[in-house]
Amino acid sequence: MGGASRRLGGSAGRDGTWPGPSAADPGRRHTAAVVTDRFDRIAWRDTYEQSAGLRELAAELSARYECTADLLTDAFLAAYKTGPRLRERAEMAPSRLVNHQVITSLLETQEFAELRRETVGDPYAAAMAVLAQAPALRGLLERCRAAWEQAEQANTAQRGAEDAARGVGEALGQAADEAEAGAEAESGFGPGAGSEAGSGAVPVPADDAVQQAVVAARAAEAAARQAAQAAAQALAAAALGLRAGARTAAAQAAGSVREEAALMRAWGVAPGELERMPFDARARLAERLRTSRLARWAELIGRFRQMAGGERARKVENATGELVGVTLGNDLSRVIPSELANLGLPELRAVFAVRYAAGELMLYDSQEEQATGKGAVIACVDTSHSMYETGPGGVSREAWAKACALALLDQARQAGRDFVGILFSAADKLQVFRFPADEPADLPRVLDFAESFLGGGTSYQAPLTAAGELLEQEFDDTARRRGDIVMITDDECGVTEEWTRGWNDAKHRLGFRLFGVVVGAPEAAGSDSVLGALGDNLRSIEDLTDVHAAADLFRLI
């Protein structure tokens, strides 16, 4: 019996056992470098499905690199998650170690930390960051091509080692089955009962199969270790170049994300409104803002809106107007400090009370600013050819005028007043944009107003007549008076005497005011100019980079 077969105990190795492959269990090898939960995966899936740009980038890179899908997921989650955590390298599948190194390099840069201030928790911004990094990601992957190829070889070798390990297991299982069958036969059960084959020993062919499987498994494991070492060396060589590339990628993405965020703020789009906006709608809006005629003047528009907001707050704080002296009265909100000091002395409190009752307390006296209007705010913006001209800082007259008009739109909405934008040039060229106070200011409509340009000559009568008719209609419909018209132009233009009489009658009847703003043409703002004769308040703007030159408009309107 001893020569015909062998016991199972000596078949696997010198100590009679098969230790298994030294590599970690392949079932626990991960292809994602960033640790995720179910909600992270949902956020990525939904964003990927909504973003045509992400899908196109994935298709392009997948044609050249197998690991692209996982890399884009990792890049997105590194920007989106509040505290992204990377897996240990030992937990990663060899073919994804390149991804792990790329994401590690990104997270180590200060530029990526700055980027995350704009992207954390915002799937749209995180997707935009991935798209903005696309050129740099292509360069990083190309720089890692050798390491990636070595990683693929290591991955193949690893799979070979795993297959060989399974072969050992199968051979051991087969040998165990044959040994069990022999044991049953030896004990008198089974078809081979009483025969020599039923001795409980492993037949020689089965034992040899186990030995061969073990040899193959150890050889495959050695090949896998060697391939993994080669891949690690190639990745280490690429890592130095990855850091510089990662900084470039993060800086490009941070610049793009900040630029878009600044555009949204400049155009008055609140963060909460963006979060509620569907992905595609937000992408279309961002594209339109980037390609807008006034995109390069977004900063100017934002500065105007900030200045106007500050003037509104200042108007509330200083509602009493300009201080001109001291008077007597009993308005406790204007009592001078020396009078208030009497309250601190018990013996003088009675005197303070008597003077208060008699209205003889000393008060700050102020000259009230003219009360703000109640009717619509109407901005008449000149869009004749000359408004294309630029002034200091390269700012065009059109850009200054449109930025001022958009700030007036904000002013009207804050006060609950209707706003109307009238674009004008020649007498037969007029375009009216209405924004009722009781309806949302639709941003596409606002952009239409800001981007439209008529060209041609200049006529005062056409826009002012249209503005007067609108205020007349408002008075007929709502009985509201005291509207405000702001005429922004760069040209002097005559009006007829008959028209002027009708204009003055309308002003007296409806109580509206005309503010004239002359941009880049001081001669049109003289005291004897047409606007000076027609209007109530006239100023000349020569420095187009100065938004504060129009500050008093926002205190009075």
Side-chain angles (χ1 to χ4, degrees):
M1 179 176 65
S5 61
R6 304 176 197 166
R7 295 287 177 179
L8 179 60
S11 64
R14 291 179 181 177
D15 59 353
T17 62
W18 162 242
S22 60
D25 182 353
R28 285 178 283 176
R29 293 301 184 97
H30 295 279
T31 58
V34 178
V35 178
T36 63
D37 57 30
R38 181 167 61 92
F39 299 104
D40 297 331
R41 292 189 289 273
I42 291 173
W44 164 248
R45 184 197 62 203
D46 291 347
T47 304
Y48 183 82
E49 290 175 353
Q50 295 178 61
S51 173
L54 284 177
R55 294 194 301 273
E56 291 170 3
L57 177 61
E60 174 202 339
L61 295 182
S62 294
R64 303 176 62 188
Y65 308 99
E66 183 181 341
C67 58
T68 297
D70 292 318
L71 177 61
L72 294 184
T73 304
D74 286 333
F76 171 84
L77 293 175
Y80 172 74
K81 285 175 65 67
T82 301
R85 181 170 64 86
L86 293 183
R87 301 186 191 279
E88 296 296 330
R89 288 172 55 88
E91 299 176 0
M92 297 295 298
S95 62
R96 298 302 185 266
L97 286 174
V98 169
N99 291 1
H100 189 281
Q101 184 61 56
V102 169
I103 301 302
T104 299
S105 299
L106 283 173
L107 287 173
E108 288 176 347
T109 65
Q110 180 61 34
E111 291 81 359
F112 199 80
E114 295 174 0
L115 167 66
R116 283 174 39 77
R117 296 192 184 103
E118 303 285 349
T119 60
V120 169
D122 186 341
Y124 175 87
M128 182 186 171
V130 174
L131 293 173
Q133 292 176 89
L137 286 176
R138 294 185 189 98
L140 291 175
L141 288 173
E142 191 61 33
R143 189 175 290 114
C144 292
R145 176 174 286 278
W148 178 74
E149 291 173 350
Q150 290 286 351
E152 282 297 303
Q153 294 177 15
N155 198 50
T156 301
Q158 179 66 36
R159 287 197 297 268
E162 292 162 4
D163 290 342
R166 281 192 292 271
V168 171
E170 292 171 359
L172 286 171
Q174 180 66 27
D177 290 342
E178 294 185 12
E180 183 179 355
E184 291 177 352
E186 185 175 3
S187 62
F189 298 97
S195 68
E196 185 179 353
S199 63
V202 179
V204 173
D207 190 45
D208 290 342
V210 171
Q211 295 288 359
Q212 292 171 7
V214 169
V215 171
R218 287 174 173 164
E221 184 181 352
R225 281 197 301 268
Q226 184 177 1
Q229 290 172 358
Q233 292 172 356
L235 189 58
L240 295 176
L242 279 179
R243 294 187 182 94
R247 283 196 297 271
T248 301
Q252 290 174 345
S256 297
V257 173
R258 280 196 299 266
E259 179 184 354
E260 182 168 312
L263 273 175
M264 294 295 184
R265 286 193 296 269
W267 287 97
V269 185
E273 184 179 355
L274 286 177
E275 292 176 3
R276 294 189 299 270
M277 194 177 295
F279 188 97
D280 289 343
R282 185 171 172 180
R284 287 193 299 270
L285 173 61
E287 180 63 21
R288 182 171 183 185
L289 292 181
R290 281 194 295 269
T291 57
S292 165
R293 291 181 61 251
L294 298 181
R296 60 182 297 205
W297 309 122
E299 181 183 358
L300 178 70
I301 295 170
R303 287 171 55 204
F304 249 108
R305 286 179 146 159
Q306 290 175 0
M307 180 272 295
E311 292 301 325
R312 284 194 295 273
R314 180 179 170 190
K315 179 167 59 177
V316 173
E317 292 171 2
N318 302 328
T320 54
E322 181 182 1
L323 178 66
V324 295
V326 176
T327 187
L328 299 179
N330 58 4
D331 185 351
L332 295 178
S333 67
R334 294 189 290 139
V335 175
I336 66 175
S338 60
E339 288 279 23
L340 291 175
N342 292 336
L343 290 174
L345 301 174
E347 59 271 20
L348 293 179
R349 288 174 184 168
V351 175
F352 182 93
V354 170
R355 295 181 64 183
Y356 172 74
E360 296 180 351
L361 293 174
M362 287 189 291
L363 313 175
Y364 285 121
D365 192 15
S366 62
Q367 178 178 338
E368 297 289 343
E369 290 183 332
Q370 186 176 359
T372 58
K374 298 297 183 182
V377 177
I378 302 178
C380 299
V381 181
D382 189 349
T383 59
S384 60
H385 284 311
S386 58
M387 291 291 285
Y388 270 129
E389 294 184 18
T390 60
V395 180
S396 70
R397 297 174 180 180
E398 179 203 7
W400 195 96
K402 296 284 183 62
C404 182
L406 291 173
L408 288 169
L409 168 59
D410 289 348
Q411 189 83 354
R413 300 201 73 77
Q414 288 291 328
R417 302 168 66 183
D418 290 350
F419 176 82
V420 181
I422 298 179
L423 304 180
F424 71 93
S425 56
D428 60 342
K429 292 186 176 182
L430 202 72
Q431 197 167 0
V432 179
F433 296 83
R434 305 188 68 164
F435 299 92
D438 58 354
E439 297 178 9
D442 184 56
L443 186 54
R445 180 72 170 162
V446 173
L447 286 170
D448 289 341
F449 166 60
E451 293 178 334
S452 298
F453 194 90
L454 303 179
T458 304
S459 168
Y460 283 1
Q461 289 187 191
L464 291 177
T465 298
E469 291 173 350
L470 287 168
L471 293 177
E472 182 96 45
Q473 179 183 351
E474 181 182 39
F475 176 73
D476 292 342
D477 294 342
T478 65
R480 282 199 297 267
R481 300 174 69 250
R482 291 169 49 206
D484 290 310
I485 302 172
V486 181
M487 182 82 163
I488 309 175
T489 183
D490 70 340
D491 199 4
E492 175 80 333
C493 180
V495 295
T496 67
E497 184 176 343
E498 180 181 359
W499 181 90
T500 302
R501 284 196 297 271
W503 171 258
N504 289 331
D505 289 343
K507 279 189 66 178
H508 178 73
R509 184 173 66 258
L510 300 174
F512 63 76
R513 298 175 294 181
L514 173 63
F515 296 84
V517 181
V518 178
V519 183
E523 65 279 0
S527 58
D528 58 347
S529 66
V530 174
L531 272 183
L534 296 176
D536 305 277
N537 189 302
L538 180 64
R539 81 230 42 243
S540 176
I541 306 298
E542 296 184 37
D543 183 359
L544 301 185
T545 63
D546 182 13
V547 300
H548 297 283
D552 63 323
L553 279 176
F554 301 95
R555 288 197 299 273
L556 298 174
I557 293 178

